[in-house]
Amino acid sequence: MRQKINRRFTGIALFSVVITTIVMTAVFYSQLKKQVFSDLAVVADLLIDEGSYARKTDNLRITWIDADGKVLFDSTVDGQSLANHLDRPEIAEAVSSGSGMGIRKSDTLSESVFYYAKKLDNGQILRVGRETHSVVAVLLSALPMVLTTALVLAAICLMVSHYLTSAIVEPINKMAGDMEHIDEGKSYPELIPFTRKIRLQHEEILSAANIRQEFTANVSHELKTPLAAISGYAELMEAGLVNDKEMKRFSGEIRKSAARLLTLINDIIKLSQLDAGNAKDILDVVNLAEITKESVEMLVFGAAKNGIDVVYEGDDRADVHIGKELAQELVYNLIENAVRYNKPNGRVIVKVQKEGTQIIFSVEDTGIGIPLEHQERIFERFYRVDKSRSKELGGTGLGLAIVKHICNLTDADVNLMSKPGVGTKIFIVWGRGST
């Protein structure tokens, strides 16, 4: 970028110098031409005042012409050999208006000449001319100064271009090298929104990388536990160190670990799909109330074994743009959590309500509750308030993370209210649900 900016600045600068030189030369020539005609007019007036027209000078051509166009005298050639001059532009102009000027190639001298002609009181014409080479000589004498000035200007422009390029690029390079303070640069206030956006994206990338790294480490740890249990029990059984009485218990432990492993893998796959954004393809308007009642029916019998009562309250129809698969995942996860972490003979109340243009889904339990210091992190992956209890109850630590992902994907707000020993209420609000 530095070279590109420098080349453009240099090109603009050199172009400006060339144009300036041409304009200066043109202006100088124009002023010189005016000065030449002015000088010729002064000479003509002096000759008229002296009344002496037939004289020769080194740098001037003096022509004295009769009123009928006949050349009476010419300081350069024999006037008798010259043709009638009434058709000359400067002569014709002098006859009509009293004076005339012109620059043209002389047939007699075979070169361009500046002419000034003035009409006398008796109708005759006095013409004074100066050959172009004398004017060009003045231009050539000034040319070295013009070229020197142009070269100096070009050199200055090159240095200024280099300086400006560095001044423009250096703050940007500093910002690129110090992403932590990218929005503290004062060089370009106009770039502050842009730099803040870059810093935000940089922080998001770092955050995502940290989350991915942490997630990978947690996945490895979580998978290792059931695999180690399965491997340990299998080794004992293979070595014949398990009697018939213990065989059934060991087989049951292997089955539990395998089930936990399968559940964990399924949750990881779901999270990966949500991270990749693939779930957006299955978004559709569904009746959330109907899906919720189906999930309650599936979980009510299992909950009843622990004396937990699961009931549904609310509307019979509440349409949400979420898709059937995601709706089932969200509803089932929250109700299952409320049952899993409830107290014996507890209660779970599930509601779907319509309030204006909003659809509100809530799950309230009378369970163990969540301490205040853990409530902000409860939706993080693999985060558990009580790790030993969670694993004992079969939790993977990913259920609420999946719920949070689904809410983000479907533009829903998720909120939590909980008190240890009293219970927990989680409610999700869709603001653009259709009724």
Side-chain angles (χ1 to χ4, degrees):
M1 183 176 71
R2 178 189 291 271
Q3 292 181 351
K4 188 174 182 180
I5 294 174
N6 198 18
R7 285 198 301 268
R8 290 191 176 180
F9 269 138
T10 302
I12 293 171
L14 293 178
F15 177 76
S16 300
V17 169
V18 171
I19 294 299
T20 301
T21 303
I22 293 173
V23 171
M24 285 175 59
T25 304
V27 170
F28 182 72
Y29 176 75
S30 176
Q31 294 299 318
L32 184 61
K33 184 172 67 173
K34 289 180 182 179
Q35 187 62 45
V36 169
F37 281 126
S38 178
D39 292 344
L40 291 175
V42 171
V43 171
D45 290 338
L46 289 173
L47 292 173
I48 292 172
D49 290 342
E50 293 176 1
S52 175
Y53 314 134
R55 68 165 62 177
K56 292 185 177 183
T57 61
D58 292 336
N59 297 323
L60 295 174
R61 180 184 181 185
I62 301 173
T63 308
W64 181 21
I65 304 163
D66 200 359
D68 59 3
K70 180 182 179 181
V71 177
L72 300 176
F73 171 80
D74 191 279
S75 63
T76 305
V77 296
D78 182 9
Q80 299 298 323
S81 63
L82 296 175
N84 191 287
H85 271 40
L86 282 181
D87 61 342
R88 304 297 194 267
E90 69 278 3
I91 302 299
E93 186 179 355
V95 170
S96 62
S97 60
S99 64
M101 294 179 292
I103 304 173
R104 59 185 175 79
K105 187 175 182 180
S106 171
D107 295 332
T108 304
L109 302 179
S110 298
E111 64 175 295
S112 296
V113 181
F114 287 78
Y115 287 114
Y116 176 81
K118 188 166 185 178
K119 186 178 181 180
L120 305 177
D121 293 339
N122 59 8
Q124 294 177 342
I125 305 294
L126 178 64
R127 187 183 70 177
V128 183
R130 175 172 287 177
E131 296 171 359
T132 309
H133 66 78
S134 61
V135 177
V136 172
V138 176
L139 283 172
L140 290 176
S141 66
L143 188 60
M145 181 59 70
V146 173
L147 291 177
T148 300
T149 304
L151 290 174
V152 171
L153 286 175
I156 293 173
C157 288
L158 289 174
M159 289 187 291
V160 171
S161 297
H162 181 72
Y163 171 76
L164 289 177
T165 300
S166 298
I168 290 173
V169 174
E170 190 61 28
I172 297 175
N173 287 337
K174 287 182 179 179
M175 287 190 291
D178 186 10
M179 298 297 289
E180 295 299 323
H181 305 91
I182 193 171
D183 58 350
E184 295 179 8
K186 304 300 181 183
S187 298
Y188 305 115
E190 298 84 1
L191 287 181
I192 288 178
F194 175 69
T195 55
R196 286 179 178 170
K197 182 68 174 178
I198 292 177
R199 180 176 181 177
L200 179 61
Q201 291 178 343
H202 176 68
E203 291 174 350
E204 288 176 352
I205 291 171
L206 290 178
S207 176
N210 290 335
I211 291 173
R212 191 177 295 110
Q213 185 177 6
E214 184 181 353
F215 179 66
T216 302
N218 287 332
V219 166
S220 300
H221 176 74
E222 294 291 336
L223 291 176
K224 189 182 296 183
T225 302
L227 283 173
I230 292 172
S231 178
Y233 288 128
E235 285 180 7
L236 291 173
M237 294 169 65
E238 183 181 26
L241 300 177
V242 182
N243 55 39
D244 293 339
K245 184 178 179 181
E246 293 292 316
M247 183 68 72
K248 183 176 181 181
R249 184 174 71 83
F250 275 36
S251 299
E253 293 296 334
I254 291 175
R255 181 188 59 77
K256 288 180 184 178
S257 295
R260 173 173 166 73
L261 189 62
L262 184 60
T263 302
L264 187 61
I265 291 172
N266 286 334
D267 284 349
I268 291 170
I269 292 173
K270 290 169 188 172
L271 269 177
S272 298
Q273 291 173 338
L274 291 170
D275 282 338
N278 297 333
K280 287 186 177 181
D281 299 333
I282 61 173
L283 294 183
D284 195 11
V285 176
V286 296
N287 184 359
L288 185 64
E290 182 180 330
I291 291 174
T292 301
K293 285 187 283 186
E294 291 174 357
S295 296
V296 168
E297 289 174 1
M298 285 189 289
L299 291 165
V300 69
F301 295 108
K305 293 179 181 179
N306 295 321
I308 298 171
D309 188 22
V310 182
V311 297
Y312 173 80
E313 298 177 3
D315 299 310
D316 292 329
R317 186 166 192 88
D319 293 339
V320 176
H321 190 260
I322 184 175
K324 185 175 182 179
E325 184 178 336
L326 293 183
Q328 289 173 337
E329 188 71 34
L330 180 145
V331 170
Y332 193 91
N333 261 316
L334 289 178
I335 300 175
E336 186 183 38
N337 264 10
V339 172
R340 178 180 290 134
Y341 298 103
N342 215 317
K343 298 175 184 177
N345 302 316
R347 183 177 175 84
V348 176
I349 300 174
V350 184
K351 294 182 180 179
V352 177
Q353 298 169 299
K354 294 184 291 184
E355 294 185 5
T357 59
Q358 292 185 330
I359 302 296
I360 302 173
F361 168 80
S362 65
V363 178
E364 184 175 4
D365 63 58
T366 58
I368 60 176
I370 303 169
L372 184 62
E373 64 269 21
H374 295 284
Q375 291 181 13
E376 288 187 1
R377 301 191 58 190
I378 198 67
F379 291 97
E380 294 179 12
R381 302 174 183 189
F382 294 112
Y383 188 84
R384 300 182 179 91
V385 176
D386 186 340
K387 294 184 179 181
S388 59
R389 178 180 174 86
S390 178
K391 290 183 178 180
E392 182 183 340
L393 295 174
T396 63
L398 293 176
L400 290 180
I402 292 173
V403 169
K404 181 68 173 179
H405 255 294
I406 295 174
C407 290
N408 291 338
L409 193 67
T410 58
D411 296 326
D413 294 323
V414 57
N415 302 276
L416 178 144
M417 294 186 302
S418 184
K419 188 174 181 180
V422 177
T424 300
K425 180 178 181 180
I426 295 178
F427 56 99
I428 299 172
V429 181
W430 286 270
R432 291 186 291 275
S434 57
T435 57

